[in-house]
């Protein structure tokens, strides 16, 4: 029974052990490069549903705040700190 594997010195068509090993080696090299990236991104991907849920709740809260009526509230008295400072036109004063 021929499984498509030709001997090493066989014809160039079909699967050869050298081609399979070369492809396997390249595949393992790519897996070795991707695995550290996957380990870094895995927590982010696993927490994505929670993030999207909180983002939706935040969006709902923002819409609720826009719908509130703030017209009946009294404004706070603004205090201007520059009113309490004496102005001296003779030049800068470093120590008072």
């Amino acid at each position: 029974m021929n499984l498509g594997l030709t001997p090493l010195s066989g014809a160039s068509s079909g699967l050869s052990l050298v081609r399979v090993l070369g492809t396997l080696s390249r595949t393992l090299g790519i897996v070795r490069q991707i695995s550290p990236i996957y380990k870094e991104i895995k927590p982010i991907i696993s927490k994505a549903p929670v993030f999207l849920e909180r983002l939706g709740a935040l969006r709902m809260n923002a819409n609720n705040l826009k719908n509130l009526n703030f017209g009946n509230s009294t404004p706070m008295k603004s205090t201007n700190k520059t009113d309490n400072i004496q102005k001296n036109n003779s030049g800068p004063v470093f120590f008072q």
Side-chain angles (χ1 to χ4, degrees), residues 4-5 7 21 25 28 31-32 37-38 45 54 58 65 69 75 83 89 94:
L5 298 175
L21 290 177
S25 175
L28 288 175
V31 169
R32 285 183 185 149
I37 297 170
Y38 174 75
I45 293 172
R54 289 183 182 173
L58 184 64
L65 287 175
N69 185 6
D83 292 341
N89 292 333
F94 295 103

Side-chain angles (χ1 to χ4, degrees), residues 3-73:
L3 298 175
L5 298 175
T6 59
L8 293 177
S9 62
S12 63
S13 65
L15 294 176
S16 69
L17 187 58
V18 174
R19 283 187 182 175
V20 170
L21 290 177
T23 304
L24 186 63
S25 175
R26 278 186 259 140
T27 304
L28 288 175
I30 292 171
V31 169
R32 285 183 185 149
Q33 290 176 354
I34 291 175
S35 65
I37 297 170
Y38 174 75
K39 288 178 184 178
E40 297 259 340
I41 293 179
K42 183 179 177 183
I44 297 170
I45 293 172
S46 66
K47 293 179 184 178
V50 175
F51 172 75
L52 294 175
E53 181 181 314
R54 289 183 182 173
L55 185 64
L58 184 64
R59 187 176 299 143
M60 287 176 50
N61 286 340
N63 289 336
N64 290 340
L65 287 175
K66 287 180 185 177
N67 294 334
L68 291 177
N69 185 6
F70 288 109
N72 296 333
S73 64

